Amino acid sequence: MGVRFADVPALAGIPLSLAAYFLFSSSDMLVKALTREVPVFQVVLLQVAFAFIPFMLVVLRRGGFSSRVRNRSLVAIRGLLAGVNTLCGFYAFSALPLAEVYAIVFCTPIVVTLASIPILGETVGMHRIAVIVVGFLGILVMIDPVATHFSLAHLSAFGSVLASAVVVLIMRKIGKKEDRVSMVAAVLLGILFVGLPGALIQWQPLTGKALLIAAGSGIFMGVAQFVSLEALRRAPASVIAPLQYTMLVWALAYGIAIFDDPVKANVLAGALIVIAANLYNFHRERLRGRRSSEA
């Protein structure tokens, strides 16, 4: 069966999304490497400082920064939560394998589904209940409370999940109304605000190697922000969202090749359960959206 002409715009967003998730994964890999010799708060500040380079290039290409923010309070909250998300994620990266952190972070869509019931007033059906139950079973398999020593790094990863979930809910409300450059600016400023105080307290001299790693991480992250937003502009979120799971492939590859991280069977099994639940949820949301548009 051939590809319909109407599918071409969505297909155009797929390679962009894959590229964005590769860049995000590569940035996180560099962050993990950097936390071996640099305090986490300082890593946060260094990354966002270098992320401003691609941001300013985009602004200059547009002829300046003249975007008007319509929902200032929500955009500001989103930026601050992006900072909290980054700090929690970086601390988790410093102590846990990349794949394990990603497996926990993949629970975000399930938390969003659960939170959208009281916050957005969305209905609870048997399919959503099943997704939530299966997703949390996957979390239990990943963590394995009996055999795993639950650490502050695990708690930090779940803090990242909660912050990300609120960001997603905010984006559902304002994402289509705000300019992309303004949204990226809010993220960068939020990360800067959260990271600066701790970085000033923990600051230590940098080696040339550390500075180079920080530059790569920041530039990758800054570019990935715009690439991911462009992917969402060209394809529906229902097409783009499942592609985030390619990050687990990159995390496993980086973990084995660079950090000698062990591949834990329970983490992989739990991640697959969570991914399956999320993919089913994406499929159901896509069907609901299609029915709403046809009604």
Side-chain angles (χ1 to χ4, degrees):
M1 183 175 178
V3 177
R4 295 175 300 170
F5 181 74
D7 293 333
V8 173
L11 291 177
I14 291 175
L16 287 173
S17 182
L18 291 172
Y21 289 128
F22 167 71
L23 289 170
F24 279 129
S25 301
S26 299
S27 176
D28 291 341
M29 176 271 293
L30 292 173
V31 163
K32 181 173 178 62
L34 194 59
T35 56
R36 290 180 164 183
E37 56 180 286
V38 179
V40 172
F41 275 104
Q42 189 174 352
V43 174
V44 171
L45 186 63
L46 286 169
Q47 189 198 59
V48 75
F50 283 106
F52 270 103
I53 295 174
F55 172 77
M56 291 307 301
L57 291 175
V58 171
V59 170
L60 291 173
R61 185 178 178 184
R62 286 169 53 116
F65 186 77
S66 58
S67 300
R68 183 179 179 181
V69 178
R70 294 182 175 88
N71 302 275
R72 293 186 178 182
S73 59
L74 288 178
V75 170
I77 292 171
R78 178 184 182 268
L80 287 174
L81 287 173
V84 173
N85 177 29
T86 300
L87 181 61
C88 289
F90 283 14
Y91 181 78
F93 289 149
S94 70
L96 299 173
L98 280 176
E100 191 165 342
V101 178
Y102 281 171
I104 295 173
V105 171
F106 287 162
C107 303
T108 301
I110 295 170
V111 176
V112 170
T113 299
L114 184 62
S116 64
I117 297 168
I119 295 175
L120 301 180
E122 297 185 359
T123 56
V124 184
M126 290 303 298
H127 294 284
R128 284 194 164 195
I129 293 174
V131 165
I132 292 169
V133 171
V134 172
F136 280 108
L137 286 175
I139 294 172
L140 291 176
V141 172
M142 276 189 286
I143 297 174
D144 190 5
V146 177
T148 301
H149 175 65
F150 193 76
S151 66
L152 183 59
H154 290 93
L155 186 63
S156 185
F158 280 109
S160 177
V161 169
L162 293 177
S164 296
V166 179
V167 167
V168 171
L169 292 172
I170 291 174
M171 287 298 292
R172 283 188 179 183
K173 186 175 181 63
I174 67 173
K176 295 181 179 180
K177 302 175 184 178
E178 298 292 347
D179 178 75
R180 295 193 304 277
V181 173
S182 298
M183 298 300 284
V184 174
V187 168
L188 296 181
L189 290 174
I191 296 172
L192 180 65
F193 182 82
V194 170
L196 183 59
L200 293 177
I201 295 172
Q202 295 184 331
W203 192 269
Q204 65 182 41
L206 295 171
T207 64
K209 177 185 175 182
L211 194 61
L212 188 62
I213 293 174
S217 174
I219 291 172
F220 283 172
M221 191 271 278
V223 172
Q225 290 283 344
F226 284 106
V227 174
S228 63
L229 288 172
E230 183 63 22
L232 283 170
R233 190 180 71 83
R234 298 191 182 204
S238 59
V239 173
I240 296 301
L243 299 177
Q244 68 179 301
Y245 302 122
T246 59
M247 295 177 70
L248 184 60
V249 176
W250 293 116
L252 288 169
Y254 285 139
I256 294 170
I258 298 175
F259 303 110
D260 294 324
D261 289 334
V263 179
K264 297 180 180 178
N266 67 296
V267 173
L268 286 180
L272 290 175
I273 293 172
V274 171
I275 289 171
N278 284 335
L279 289 176
Y280 179 74
N281 194 36
F282 291 141
H283 173 67
R284 292 290 306 176
E285 292 297 323
R286 191 173 185 179
L287 289 179
R288 289 180 64 195
R290 187 178 299 171
R291 288 169 189 158
S292 298
S293 63
E294 291 174 353

